[in-house]
Amino acid sequence: MFTTRPELLCTFGAVASTHWLASQSGMAVLEKGGNAFDAAVAAGFVLQVVEPHLNGPGGEAPMIVHSAAEGRTRVVCGQGTAPAAATIEHYRRHGHSLMPGTGLLAAVVPGAFDAWLMILRDYGTMSFGEVMEFAIGYAENGFPVVPRITWTIESVEALFRDHWPSSAEVWLRDGAPQPGRLFRTPAIAATFKRLVAESATADGGREAGIEAARHAWYEGFVAEAIDRFCRDRAYIDTTGTPQHGVMTGDDLARWHATYEDPLTYDYHGHTICKTGPWGQGPVMLQQLALLRGFDIATMNPTGPDFIHTVVECAKLAYADREAYYGDPDFVDVPMTTLLDDAHNGARRELVGERANPDLRPGTIPGHDPWTDDGAAERAALKQHYDALGGGEPTIAKTGASRGDTCHVDVIDRWGNMVSATPSGGWLQSSPTIPELGFNLTNRGQMFWLDEGHPASLAPGKRPRTTLTPSFALRDGAPYMAFGTPGGDQQDQWALIFLLHHIDHGMNLQEAIDCPTFQTVNFPSSFFPRERYPNVIRLEGRFSDRTVEELRRRGHIVEIEELWSLGRLSAAARDGDLIKAAANPRGMQGYAVGR
């Protein structure tokens, strides 16, 4: 199969990510003697600078990491929680019937910083200052603007100038930055340099320095600036009216990133590892449990049988996601049953010859599935936008957008492995905090303002994030770190990549390059939670015959651009070889290795 790039074959180490500068920064750390954890942290902070429309310092970063020394694979929960004052009663008392999609009320505790520093402390070898050199350099000296940054800033220019002046001062100081030109974010550089300085003054060596930086963020000057900003001024959000935030310094001080065991499912000699149901990660495992009853290997990877089967199984798994998933610290998620072969065997019988438009969650004794398809929220959204003057919601009015996400995979020569999916805090999510140069995540938009929903809002609760790093063992040995940006589509695009690799025998680059598709049959996790029954979106490289047959089966087929769906990257350890590949879509992702 022709590929856009070669699958890289290495022995020393490899880094694959959604931006070439992050990949190269991580590789530079490996070349300096650092391990995969050092490299991932360096790359992660570079992504915050060079992909500001996709993530930022105020965002979150779930990860799956494997320590060769411990022989252990762990989930890192870098997803922050709702503030103590973020109650359903508070939001409804202020006239909200759904969570805002932007602004200060949608903010949760920024989790990325603590997650990165926790793995650096526990598994890395370098100091905080060493891994921050690259991000500080790009923020201070400039990074090349990619076209999507320009498009994003131009789309919110009116919002910034009229309502979020601190964001305008950063992103519109000389007009929107133009593609191919260098752009500097000196305030972020200053924040990072101050954190490094506080780290350097700590007594007790490398770990004490990392702890000092964590303290400065969650209990020091960063937390104080966030507290003041949320308290002192109201800013417009998707409600169309100015709103104060409810985040306090105490919310930051009370939260820390944590380790968890991954949820797993065995599929054709591979054990797939995902986060718990506080994220959507288990939906990939459910899809595998459904698909194992079909002979995927014999299906044409671009043919109608494969697409139909994968889409109809995805609909069932995502219906279970909507019905049952939430933070297991707050709700009883029947995860054992949801991954049980008997449960999925019965669900598999629902896959017919024709497309089904319904949300059909499984029935589990002792659990009442949530069945609202989002109609109530869409009605509330219409009410909000009627108040704004009618018409479709636009980014320009309120900043409402899905943002996006980043991803990075690292393997070093010792067998350490990292899969991380940082996101949130993108430049259009909320106003810039002037003293810090960055803004807060709006991940709280994924909460529901309904007491009966498993992902309903509650103080200290994790939103059911779409961020979903992936990891695979092969025959019990750590094998592959992989993942993609893409919101609700992450566990569709990554699943299709996995099926192409395992069942169709494609190498990593072939599996990434192969045309892909997605269903939008379920309510979106993002404001305003649209749902499009029976709609599937295909890249334009599928044959007319495939498209016609899918339409005959009842699918509503929308054709996207030729190279438009998915931003996957992957790194695998195969015996003495390390393999890596990255997505050509968007002309940003790269894999590097030696």
Side-chain angles (χ1 to χ4, degrees), residues 334-391:
M335 208 66 249
T336 300
T337 301
L338 289 171
L339 297 182
D340 181 72
D341 285 337
H343 171 79
N344 288 291
R347 302 276 283 143
R348 193 181 302 123
E349 297 299 318
L350 297 175
V351 177
E353 289 299 316
R354 292 191 59 79
N356 188 293
D358 300 327
L359 276 179
R360 299 179 290 172
T363 300
I364 298 176
H367 293 80
D368 294 324
W370 177 261
T371 55
D372 190 326
D373 69 353
E377 293 224 341
R378 288 194 294 276
L381 173 70
K382 184 178 186 302
Q383 181 181 359
H384 283 305
Y385 279 96
D386 284 346
L388 287 175

CSV table of all heavy atoms in Angstrom, one decimal, residues 334-391:
chain,number,residue,atom,x,y,z
A,334,PRO,N,-21.8,0.5,35.6
A,334,PRO,CA,-21.8,-1.0,35.6
A,334,PRO,C,-20.7,-1.4,34.5
A,334,PRO,O,-21.0,-2.1,33.6
A,334,PRO,CB,-23.2,-1.3,35.2
A,334,PRO,CG,-23.7,-0.2,34.4
A,334,PRO,CD,-23.0,1.0,35.0
A,335,MET,N,-19.5,-1.1,34.8
A,335,MET,CA,-18.4,-1.3,33.8
A,335,MET,C,-18.2,-2.7,33.5
A,335,MET,O,-17.9,-3.1,32.3
A,335,MET,CB,-17.1,-0.6,34.2
A,335,MET,CG,-16.2,-0.1,33.1
A,335,MET,SD,-17.0,1.2,32.1
A,335,MET,CE,-17.3,0.3,30.5
A,336,THR,N,-18.2,-3.6,34.5
A,336,THR,CA,-18.0,-5.0,34.3
A,336,THR,C,-19.0,-5.6,33.3
A,336,THR,O,-18.6,-6.3,32.4
A,336,THR,CB,-18.0,-5.7,35.7
A,336,THR,OG1,-17.0,-5.2,36.5
A,336,THR,CG2,-17.8,-7.2,35.5
A,337,THR,N,-20.3,-5.2,33.5
A,337,THR,CA,-21.3,-5.7,32.6
A,337,THR,C,-21.1,-5.1,31.2
A,337,THR,O,-21.3,-5.8,30.2
A,337,THR,CB,-22.7,-5.4,33.2
A,337,THR,OG1,-22.8,-6.0,34.5
A,337,THR,CG2,-23.8,-5.9,32.3
A,338,LEU,N,-20.8,-3.9,31.2
A,338,LEU,CA,-20.7,-3.2,29.8
A,338,LEU,C,-19.6,-3.8,29.0
A,338,LEU,O,-19.6,-3.7,27.8
A,338,LEU,CB,-20.4,-1.7,30.0
A,338,LEU,CG,-21.6,-0.9,30.6
A,338,LEU,CD1,-21.2,0.5,30.9
A,338,LEU,CD2,-22.8,-0.9,29.5
A,339,LEU,N,-18.6,-4.4,29.6
A,339,LEU,CA,-17.5,-5.0,28.9
A,339,LEU,C,-17.6,-6.6,28.8
A,339,LEU,O,-16.8,-7.3,28.3
A,339,LEU,CB,-16.1,-4.7,29.5
A,339,LEU,CG,-15.8,-3.2,29.4
A,339,LEU,CD1,-14.4,-3.0,30.0
A,339,LEU,CD2,-15.8,-2.7,28.0
A,340,ASP,N,-18.7,-7.1,29.4
A,340,ASP,CA,-18.9,-8.5,29.5
A,340,ASP,C,-19.3,-9.1,28.1
A,340,ASP,O,-20.1,-8.5,27.4
A,340,ASP,CB,-20.0,-8.8,30.5
A,340,ASP,CG,-20.3,-10.3,30.6
A,340,ASP,OD1,-19.5,-11.0,31.2
A,340,ASP,OD2,-21.4,-10.7,30.1
A,341,ASP,N,-18.8,-10.2,27.8
A,341,ASP,CA,-19.0,-10.8,26.4
A,341,ASP,C,-20.5,-11.2,26.3
A,341,ASP,O,-21.0,-11.1,25.2
A,341,ASP,CB,-18.1,-12.0,26.2
A,341,ASP,CG,-16.7,-11.6,25.9
A,341,ASP,OD1,-16.5,-10.5,25.4
A,341,ASP,OD2,-15.8,-12.4,26.1
A,342,ALA,N,-21.1,-11.6,27.4
A,342,ALA,CA,-22.5,-12.0,27.3
A,342,ALA,C,-23.4,-10.8,27.0
A,342,ALA,O,-24.3,-10.8,26.1
A,342,ALA,CB,-23.0,-12.7,28.6
A,343,HIS,N,-23.1,-9.7,27.7
A,343,HIS,CA,-23.9,-8.4,27.4
A,343,HIS,C,-23.7,-8.0,26.0
A,343,HIS,O,-24.6,-7.6,25.3
A,343,HIS,CB,-23.4,-7.3,28.4
A,343,HIS,CG,-23.9,-6.0,28.1
A,343,HIS,ND1,-25.1,-5.5,28.4
A,343,HIS,CD2,-23.3,-4.9,27.4
A,343,HIS,CE1,-25.3,-4.3,28.1
A,343,HIS,NE2,-24.2,-3.9,27.4
A,344,ASN,N,-22.5,-8.0,25.5
A,344,ASN,CA,-22.2,-7.5,24.1
A,344,ASN,C,-22.6,-8.5,23.1
A,344,ASN,O,-22.9,-8.2,21.9
A,344,ASN,CB,-20.7,-7.2,24.0
A,344,ASN,CG,-20.4,-5.9,24.8
A,344,ASN,OD1,-20.8,-4.8,24.4
A,344,ASN,ND2,-19.7,-6.0,25.9
A,345,GLY,N,-22.7,-9.8,23.4
A,345,GLY,CA,-23.2,-10.8,22.5
A,345,GLY,C,-24.7,-10.5,22.2
A,345,GLY,O,-25.1,-10.6,21.1
A,346,ALA,N,-25.4,-10.2,23.3
A,346,ALA,CA,-26.8,-9.9,23.1
A,346,ALA,C,-27.0,-8.6,22.3
A,346,ALA,O,-27.9,-8.4,21.5
A,346,ALA,CB,-27.5,-9.8,24.5
A,347,ARG,N,-26.1,-7.6,22.6
A,347,ARG,CA,-26.2,-6.3,21.9
A,347,ARG,C,-25.8,-6.5,20.4
A,347,ARG,O,-26.4,-5.8,19.5
A,347,ARG,CB,-25.2,-5.3,22.5
A,347,ARG,CG,-25.4,-5.1,24.0
A,347,ARG,CD,-26.5,-4.0,24.2
A,347,ARG,NE,-25.9,-2.7,24.0
A,347,ARG,CZ,-26.7,-1.7,23.4
A,347,ARG,NH1,-27.9,-1.9,23.0
A,347,ARG,NH2,-26.1,-0.5,23.3
A,348,ARG,N,-24.9,-7.4,20.1
A,348,ARG,CA,-24.5,-7.6,18.8
A,348,ARG,C,-25.6,-8.1,17.9
A,348,ARG,O,-25.6,-7.8,16.7
A,348,ARG,CB,-23.4,-8.7,18.8
A,348,ARG,CG,-22.6,-8.8,17.5
A,348,ARG,CD,-21.6,-9.9,17.6
A,348,ARG,NE,-20.6,-9.6,18.6
A,348,ARG,CZ,-20.4,-10.5,19.6
A,348,ARG,NH1,-21.0,-11.6,19.7
A,348,ARG,NH2,-19.5,-10.1,20.6
A,349,GLU,N,-26.6,-8.7,18.5
A,349,GLU,CA,-27.8,-9.2,17.7
A,349,GLU,C,-28.6,-8.0,17.1
A,349,GLU,O,-29.4,-8.2,16.2
A,349,GLU,CB,-28.7,-10.1,18.5
A,349,GLU,CG,-28.0,-11.4,19.0
A,349,GLU,CD,-27.6,-12.3,17.9
A,349,GLU,OE1,-28.4,-12.4,16.9
A,349,GLU,OE2,-26.5,-12.8,17.9
A,350,LEU,N,-28.4,-6.8,17.6
A,350,LEU,CA,-29.1,-5.7,17.1
A,350,LEU,C,-28.5,-5.1,15.8
A,350,LEU,O,-29.1,-4.2,15.2
A,350,LEU,CB,-29.1,-4.6,18.2
A,350,LEU,CG,-29.8,-4.9,19.5
A,350,LEU,CD1,-29.6,-3.7,20.5
A,350,LEU,CD2,-31.3,-5.1,19.3
A,351,VAL,N,-27.3,-5.6,15.5
A,351,VAL,CA,-26.7,-5.1,14.2
A,351,VAL,C,-27.4,-5.8,13.1
A,351,VAL,O,-27.3,-7.0,12.9
A,351,VAL,CB,-25.2,-5.4,14.2
A,351,VAL,CG1,-24.6,-4.9,12.9
A,351,VAL,CG2,-24.5,-4.6,15.4
A,352,GLY,N,-28.1,-5.0,12.3
A,352,GLY,CA,-28.8,-5.6,11.1
A,352,GLY,C,-28.2,-5.2,9.8
A,352,GLY,O,-27.1,-4.6,9.7
A,353,GLU,N,-28.9,-5.5,8.8
A,353,GLU,CA,-28.5,-5.2,7.4
A,353,GLU,C,-28.6,-3.7,7.1
A,353,GLU,O,-28.0,-3.2,6.1
A,353,GLU,CB,-29.2,-6.0,6.4
A,353,GLU,CG,-28.8,-7.5,6.4
A,353,GLU,CD,-27.4,-7.7,6.1
A,353,GLU,OE1,-26.9,-7.1,5.1
A,353,GLU,OE2,-26.7,-8.5,6.8
A,354,ARG,N,-29.5,-3.0,7.8
A,354,ARG,CA,-29.8,-1.6,7.5
A,354,ARG,C,-29.3,-0.7,8.7
A,354,ARG,O,-29.3,-1.2,9.8
A,354,ARG,CB,-31.2,-1.4,7.2
A,354,ARG,CG,-31.7,-2.0,5.9
A,354,ARG,CD,-33.0,-1.5,5.5
A,354,ARG,NE,-33.1,-0.1,5.3
A,354,ARG,CZ,-32.7,0.6,4.2
A,354,ARG,NH1,-32.1,-0.1,3.2
A,354,ARG,NH2,-32.9,1.9,4.2
A,355,ALA,N,-29.0,0.5,8.4
A,355,ALA,CA,-28.7,1.5,9.4
A,355,ALA,C,-29.8,1.7,10.4
A,355,ALA,O,-31.0,1.8,9.9
A,355,ALA,CB,-28.2,2.8,8.8
A,356,ASN,N,-29.5,1.8,11.7
A,356,ASN,CA,-30.5,2.1,12.6
A,356,ASN,C,-30.3,3.5,13.3
A,356,ASN,O,-29.2,3.8,13.8
A,356,ASN,CB,-30.6,1.1,13.7
A,356,ASN,CG,-31.8,1.2,14.7
A,356,ASN,OD1,-31.9,2.2,15.4
A,356,ASN,ND2,-32.7,0.3,14.6
A,357,PRO,N,-31.3,4.4,13.3
A,357,PRO,CA,-31.0,5.8,13.7
A,357,PRO,C,-31.2,6.0,15.2
A,357,PRO,O,-30.9,7.1,15.7
A,357,PRO,CB,-32.1,6.6,13.0
A,357,PRO,CG,-33.3,5.6,12.9
A,357,PRO,CD,-32.6,4.3,12.7
A,358,ASP,N,-31.6,5.0,16.0
A,358,ASP,CA,-32.0,5.2,17.4
A,358,ASP,C,-30.8,5.1,18.3
A,358,ASP,O,-29.8,4.4,18.0
A,358,ASP,CB,-33.1,4.1,17.8
A,358,ASP,CG,-34.3,4.2,16.9
A,358,ASP,OD1,-34.7,5.3,16.5
A,358,ASP,OD2,-34.9,3.1,16.7
A,359,LEU,N,-31.0,5.7,19.5
A,359,LEU,CA,-30.1,5.5,20.6
A,359,LEU,C,-30.6,4.3,21.4
A,359,LEU,O,-31.7,4.4,21.9
A,359,LEU,CB,-30.0,6.7,21.5
A,359,LEU,CG,-29.1,7.8,21.1
A,359,LEU,CD1,-29.2,9.0,22.1
A,359,LEU,CD2,-27.7,7.4,21.1
A,360,ARG,N,-29.9,3.2,21.4
A,360,ARG,CA,-30.3,2.0,22.0
A,360,ARG,C,-29.4,1.5,23.1
A,360,ARG,O,-28.6,0.5,22.8
A,360,ARG,CB,-30.5,0.9,20.9
A,360,ARG,CG,-31.6,1.3,19.9
A,360,ARG,CD,-31.7,0.2,18.8
A,360,ARG,NE,-30.5,0.1,17.9
A,360,ARG,CZ,-30.3,-0.9,17.1
A,360,ARG,NH1,-31.2,-1.8,16.9
A,360,ARG,NH2,-29.2,-0.9,16.3
A,361,PRO,N,-29.4,2.1,24.3
A,361,PRO,CA,-28.5,1.6,25.3
A,361,PRO,C,-29.0,0.2,25.8
A,361,PRO,O,-30.2,-0.2,25.7
A,361,PRO,CB,-28.7,2.6,26.4
A,361,PRO,CG,-30.0,3.2,26.2
A,361,PRO,CD,-30.2,3.2,24.7
A,362,GLY,N,-28.0,-0.6,26.3
A,362,GLY,CA,-28.4,-1.9,26.9
A,362,GLY,C,-29.1,-1.8,28.2
A,362,GLY,O,-29.0,-0.8,28.9
A,363,THR,N,-29.8,-2.8,28.5
A,363,THR,CA,-30.5,-2.9,29.8
A,363,THR,C,-29.7,-3.7,30.7
A,363,THR,O,-29.3,-4.8,30.5
A,363,THR,CB,-31.9,-3.5,29.6
A,363,THR,OG1,-32.7,-2.7,28.6
A,363,THR,CG2,-32.7,-3.6,30.9
A,364,ILE,N,-29.5,-3.1,31.9
A,364,ILE,CA,-28.6,-3.7,32.9
A,364,ILE,C,-29.4,-3.7,34.2
A,364,ILE,O,-29.8,-2.7,34.7
A,364,ILE,CB,-27.3,-3.0,33.1
A,364,ILE,CG1,-26.5,-3.0,31.8
A,364,ILE,CG2,-26.5,-3.6,34.2
A,364,ILE,CD1,-25.2,-2.2,31.8
A,365,PRO,N,-29.7,-4.9,34.8
A,365,PRO,CA,-30.4,-5.0,36.0
A,365,PRO,C,-29.8,-4.1,37.1
A,365,PRO,O,-28.6,-4.1,37.3
A,365,PRO,CB,-30.3,-6.5,36.4
A,365,PRO,CG,-30.1,-7.2,35.1
A,365,PRO,CD,-29.3,-6.2,34.3
A,366,GLY,N,-30.7,-3.3,37.8
A,366,GLY,CA,-30.3,-2.5,38.9
A,366,GLY,C,-29.8,-1.1,38.4
A,366,GLY,O,-29.5,-0.3,39.2
A,367,HIS,N,-29.8,-0.9,37.1
A,367,HIS,CA,-29.4,0.4,36.6
A,367,HIS,C,-30.5,0.9,35.6
A,367,HIS,O,-30.9,0.2,34.7
A,367,HIS,CB,-28.1,0.3,35.9
A,367,HIS,CG,-26.9,0.0,36.8
A,367,HIS,ND1,-26.7,-1.3,37.3
A,367,HIS,CD2,-26.0,0.8,37.4
A,367,HIS,CE1,-25.6,-1.2,38.1
A,367,HIS,NE2,-25.2,0.0,38.1
A,368,ASP,N,-30.8,2.2,35.8
A,368,ASP,CA,-31.7,2.8,34.8
A,368,ASP,C,-30.9,3.7,33.8
A,368,ASP,O,-30.3,4.6,34.2
A,368,ASP,CB,-32.7,3.7,35.6
A,368,ASP,CG,-33.7,3.0,36.5
A,368,ASP,OD1,-34.0,1.8,36.1
A,368,ASP,OD2,-34.0,3.5,37.6
A,369,PRO,N,-30.9,3.3,32.6
A,369,PRO,CA,-30.1,4.0,31.6
A,369,PRO,C,-30.7,5.4,31.3
A,369,PRO,O,-31.9,5.6,31.2
A,369,PRO,CB,-30.2,3.1,30.3
A,369,PRO,CG,-31.5,2.4,30.5
A,369,PRO,CD,-31.7,2.2,31.9
A,370,TRP,N,-29.8,6.4,31.1
A,370,TRP,CA,-30.3,7.7,30.7
A,370,TRP,C,-30.6,7.6,29.2
A,370,TRP,O,-29.8,7.1,28.4
A,370,TRP,CB,-29.2,8.7,31.0
A,370,TRP,CG,-29.5,10.1,30.5
A,370,TRP,CD1,-29.1,10.6,29.3
A,370,TRP,CD2,-30.4,11.0,31.1
A,370,TRP,NE1,-29.7,11.9,29.2
A,370,TRP,CE2,-30.4,12.2,30.3
A,370,TRP,CE3,-31.1,11.0,32.3
A,370,TRP,CZ2,-31.2,13.3,30.6
A,370,TRP,CZ3,-31.8,12.1,32.7
A,370,TRP,CH2,-31.8,13.3,31.8
A,371,THR,N,-31.8,8.1,28.8
A,371,THR,CA,-32.2,7.9,27.5
A,371,THR,C,-32.5,9.2,26.7
A,371,THR,O,-32.9,9.2,25.6
A,371,THR,CB,-33.5,7.0,27.4
A,371,THR,OG1,-34.5,7.6,28.2
A,371,THR,CG2,-33.2,5.6,27.9
A,372,ASP,N,-32.4,10.4,27.4
A,372,ASP,CA,-32.6,11.7,26.7
A,372,ASP,C,-31.6,11.8,25.6
A,372,ASP,O,-30.4,11.6,25.8
A,372,ASP,CB,-32.4,12.8,27.7
A,372,ASP,CG,-32.9,14.1,27.1
A,372,ASP,OD1,-32.7,14.4,25.9
A,372,ASP,OD2,-33.4,15.0,27.9
A,373,ASP,N,-32.0,12.1,24.4
A,373,ASP,CA,-31.1,12.2,23.2
A,373,ASP,C,-30.6,13.6,23.0
A,373,ASP,O,-30.0,13.9,22.0
A,373,ASP,CB,-31.8,11.8,22.0
A,373,ASP,CG,-32.9,12.7,21.5
A,373,ASP,OD1,-33.2,13.7,22.2
A,373,ASP,OD2,-33.4,12.5,20.4
A,374,GLY,N,-30.8,14.5,24.0
A,374,GLY,CA,-30.2,15.9,23.9
A,374,GLY,C,-31.2,16.9,23.4
A,374,GLY,O,-30.9,18.1,23.2
A,375,ALA,N,-32.5,16.5,23.1
A,375,ALA,CA,-33.5,17.4,22.6
A,375,ALA,C,-33.7,18.5,23.5
A,375,ALA,O,-33.9,19.7,23.1
A,375,ALA,CB,-34.8,16.6,22.3
A,376,ALA,N,-33.8,18.3,24.8
A,376,ALA,CA,-34.0,19.3,25.8
A,376,ALA,C,-32.9,20.4,25.8
A,376,ALA,O,-33.2,21.6,25.9
A,376,ALA,CB,-34.2,18.7,27.2
A,377,GLU,N,-31.7,19.9,25.6
A,377,GLU,CA,-30.6,20.8,25.6
A,377,GLU,C,-30.6,21.7,24.3
A,377,GLU,O,-30.3,22.9,24.4
A,377,GLU,CB,-29.2,20.1,25.8
A,377,GLU,CG,-29.1,19.5,27.1
A,377,GLU,CD,-27.7,19.7,27.7
A,377,GLU,OE1,-26.8,20.0,26.9
A,377,GLU,OE2,-27.6,19.6,28.9
A,378,ARG,N,-31.0,21.1,23.2
A,378,ARG,CA,-31.0,21.8,22.0
A,378,ARG,C,-32.1,22.9,22.0
A,378,ARG,O,-32.0,24.0,21.5
A,378,ARG,CB,-31.2,20.9,20.8
A,378,ARG,CG,-30.0,20.1,20.5
A,378,ARG,CD,-30.1,19.4,19.1
A,378,ARG,NE,-31.1,18.4,19.1
A,378,ARG,CZ,-31.0,17.2,19.5
A,378,ARG,NH1,-29.8,16.8,19.9
A,378,ARG,NH2,-32.0,16.3,19.4
A,379,ALA,N,-33.3,22.5,22.7
A,379,ALA,CA,-34.3,23.5,22.9
A,379,ALA,C,-33.9,24.7,23.7
A,379,ALA,O,-34.2,25.9,23.4
A,379,ALA,CB,-35.6,22.9,23.5
A,380,ALA,N,-33.1,24.4,24.8
A,380,ALA,CA,-32.6,25.4,25.6
A,380,ALA,C,-31.6,26.3,24.9
A,380,ALA,O,-31.6,27.5,25.0
A,380,ALA,CB,-31.9,24.8,26.9
A,381,LEU,N,-30.8,25.6,24.0
A,381,LEU,CA,-29.8,26.4,23.2
A,381,LEU,C,-30.5,27.4,22.3
A,381,LEU,O,-30.2,28.5,22.2
A,381,LEU,CB,-29.0,25.4,22.4
A,381,LEU,CG,-28.1,26.1,21.4
A,381,LEU,CD1,-26.9,26.8,22.1
A,381,LEU,CD2,-27.5,25.1,20.4
A,382,LYS,N,-31.6,26.9,21.7
A,382,LYS,CA,-32.4,27.8,20.8
A,382,LYS,C,-32.9,29.0,21.6
A,382,LYS,O,-32.9,30.1,21.1
A,382,LYS,CB,-33.5,27.0,20.1
A,382,LYS,CG,-34.3,27.9,19.1
A,382,LYS,CD,-35.4,27.1,18.5
A,382,LYS,CE,-36.1,27.9,17.4
A,382,LYS,NZ,-36.7,29.1,17.8
A,383,GLN,N,-33.4,28.8,22.8
A,383,GLN,CA,-33.8,29.9,23.6
A,383,GLN,C,-32.7,30.9,23.8
A,383,GLN,O,-32.9,32.1,23.8
A,383,GLN,CB,-34.4,29.4,24.9
A,383,GLN,CG,-34.9,30.4,25.8
A,383,GLN,CD,-35.4,29.8,27.1
A,383,GLN,OE1,-35.4,28.6,27.3
A,383,GLN,NE2,-35.9,30.7,28.0
A,384,HIS,N,-31.5,30.4,24.2
A,384,HIS,CA,-30.4,31.3,24.4
A,384,HIS,C,-30.1,32.1,23.2
A,384,HIS,O,-29.9,33.4,23.3
A,384,HIS,CB,-29.2,30.5,24.8
A,384,HIS,CG,-29.2,30.0,26.2
A,384,HIS,ND1,-29.4,30.8,27.3
A,384,HIS,CD2,-29.0,28.8,26.7
A,384,HIS,CE1,-29.3,30.1,28.4
A,384,HIS,NE2,-29.1,28.9,28.1
A,385,TYR,N,-30.0,31.5,22.0
A,385,TYR,CA,-29.6,32.2,20.8
A,385,TYR,C,-30.8,33.1,20.2
A,385,TYR,O,-30.5,34.1,19.6
A,385,TYR,CB,-29.1,31.2,19.8
A,385,TYR,CG,-27.6,30.9,20.1
A,385,TYR,CD1,-27.3,29.8,20.8
A,385,TYR,CD2,-26.6,31.8,19.8
A,385,TYR,CE1,-26.0,29.6,21.2
A,385,TYR,CE2,-25.3,31.6,20.1
A,385,TYR,CZ,-25.0,30.4,20.8
A,385,TYR,OH,-23.7,30.2,21.2
A,386,ASP,N,-32.0,32.7,20.5
A,386,ASP,CA,-33.1,33.6,20.2
A,386,ASP,C,-32.9,35.0,21.0
A,386,ASP,O,-33.1,36.0,20.4
A,386,ASP,CB,-34.4,33.0,20.5
A,386,ASP,CG,-34.9,32.0,19.5
A,386,ASP,OD1,-34.2,31.9,18.5
A,386,ASP,OD2,-35.8,31.2,19.9
A,387,ALA,N,-32.4,34.8,22.2
A,387,ALA,CA,-32.2,36.0,23.0
A,387,ALA,C,-31.0,36.9,22.5
A,387,ALA,O,-31.0,38.1,22.7
A,387,ALA,CB,-31.9,35.6,24.5
A,388,LEU,N,-30.1,36.2,21.8
A,388,LEU,CA,-29.0,36.9,21.2
A,388,LEU,C,-29.3,37.5,19.8
A,388,LEU,O,-28.5,38.2,19.2
A,388,LEU,CB,-27.8,35.9,21.0
A,388,LEU,CG,-27.1,35.5,22.2
A,388,LEU,CD1,-26.0,34.4,21.9
A,388,LEU,CD2,-26.4,36.7,22.9
A,389,GLY,N,-30.6,37.3,19.4
A,389,GLY,CA,-30.9,37.9,18.1
A,389,GLY,C,-31.3,36.9,17.0
A,389,GLY,O,-31.5,37.2,15.9
A,390,GLY,N,-31.3,35.6,17.4
A,390,GLY,CA,-31.7,34.5,16.5
A,390,GLY,C,-30.6,34.1,15.6
A,390,GLY,O,-29.5,34.6,15.6
A,391,GLY,N,-30.8,33.1,14.8
A,391,GLY,CA,-29.8,32.5,13.9
A,391,GLY,C,-29.0,31.4,14.5
A,391,GLY,O,-29.1,31.1,15.7
